[in-house]
Amino acid sequence: MKQEYIAPKNWEIFRPYFKKIDVSAKTILLQEGEISRTMYFIEKGCLRTWINNDGKEITTQFFFEGESVSSIESFRTNKTSLYSIESIEQCTLQTLSQKDFQQIIESNPEMKNDFEAHLFKRLFQTQQFAFSYLKNNPQQRYEELITQFPHIVQRVPQHYIASYLGITSVSLSRIRNRQ
């Protein structure tokens, strides 16, 4: 869900290191099982993370303008990514290499502290979603999602939202029709 990895005001420190790319919808930026070597800052567009479960894609998070994404565990440890990163729509992204990120973090204690704070926030958000998944029924999860992120239904295809909620597109249609 919504992640505040590095606040846009802090992006300036990265400016000399950014490489701008434009990608079309449905572009795989990182494949599950590869090592993440790039962090993506979203200028325009929407990305999702997803896992492959026996050939079935399960969406795990969505990211929009002003947010950043990488397989942070892989990016920081050089271990393979547990998930893929894909564009949902046409995107303009600023990319930052693993090497440049490491250099900035190591030379700037404030950025290092911001990054650590981000990791704790991400852990907390992941826990919230996991507990919601265990505790709430699909209708409650959908209501929680649109309350927190009302723009999601205009930007994200229904089958990705259904996958994220752990239900079928048909079940999501039924839930939406009850609203």
Side-chain angles (χ1 to χ4, degrees):
M1 293 314 305
K2 185 167 174 108
Q3 305 287 323
E4 294 180 26
Y5 289 84
I6 297 169
K9 68 178 170 43
N10 292 337
W11 283 27
E12 280 308 309
I13 197 166
F14 296 113
R15 187 92 28 223
Y17 302 93
F18 277 150
K19 290 184 180 70
K20 185 176 183 175
I21 62 170
D22 291 308
V23 297
S24 59
K26 297 188 140 295
T27 299
I28 301 290
L29 299 168
L30 175 68
Q31 186 70 52
E32 180 179 338
E34 294 177 350
I35 295 174
S36 177
R37 305 243 186 253
T38 306
M39 184 175 287
Y40 301 95
F41 294 79
I42 306 169
E43 250 184 54
K44 180 178 179 280
C46 177
L47 302 177
R48 75 177 179 122
T49 56
W50 59 275
I51 60 170
N52 180 334
N53 183 12
D54 291 328
K56 181 181 176 186
E57 293 179 10
I58 300 173
T59 299
T60 56
Q61 287 183 296
F62 300 104
F63 300 86
F64 298 94
E65 289 86 359
E67 298 177 325
S68 61
V69 63
S70 72
S71 176
I72 202 66
E73 300 82 3
S74 174
F75 190 77
R76 294 291 286 171
T77 65
N78 285 316
K79 294 185 179 172
T80 58
S81 176
L82 300 174
Y83 51 86
S84 297
I85 301 172
E86 178 182 19
S87 60
I88 291 178
E89 54 192 31
Q90 172 87 25
C91 293
T92 300
L93 306 169
Q94 295 289 346
T95 66
L96 183 67
S97 74
Q98 185 183 40
K99 180 183 169 204
D100 289 341
F101 179 82
Q102 188 65 34
Q103 182 180 349
I104 292 166
I105 291 297
E106 293 306 320
S107 66
N108 188 317
E110 183 182 346
M111 285 303 297
K112 190 171 189 169
N113 289 340
D114 287 350
F115 182 70
E116 287 173 0
H118 150 70
L119 290 178
F120 282 111
K121 188 179 286 189
R122 181 175 173 173
L123 175 63
F124 179 67
Q125 290 169 329
T126 301
Q127 284 180 319
Q128 280 183 310
F129 178 73
F131 290 137
S132 175
Y133 202 83
L134 295 171
K135 188 172 94 174
N136 297 329
N137 65 41
Q139 170 117 17
Q140 291 168 318
R141 290 195 303 269
Y142 177 73
E143 289 169 359
E144 197 172 77
L145 179 69
I146 61 171
T147 298
Q148 292 176 351
F149 309 98
H151 63 284
I152 208 162
V153 294
Q154 278 79 42
R155 304 252 328 252
V156 175
Q158 184 169 311
H159 65 282
Y160 292 147
I161 294 172
S163 167
Y164 175 76
L165 296 171
I167 59 176
T168 66
S169 292
V170 172
S171 294
L172 179 57
S173 289
R174 287 187 192 122
I175 290 170
R176 290 176 74 172
N177 287 335
R178 286 186 223 138
Q179 304 262 304

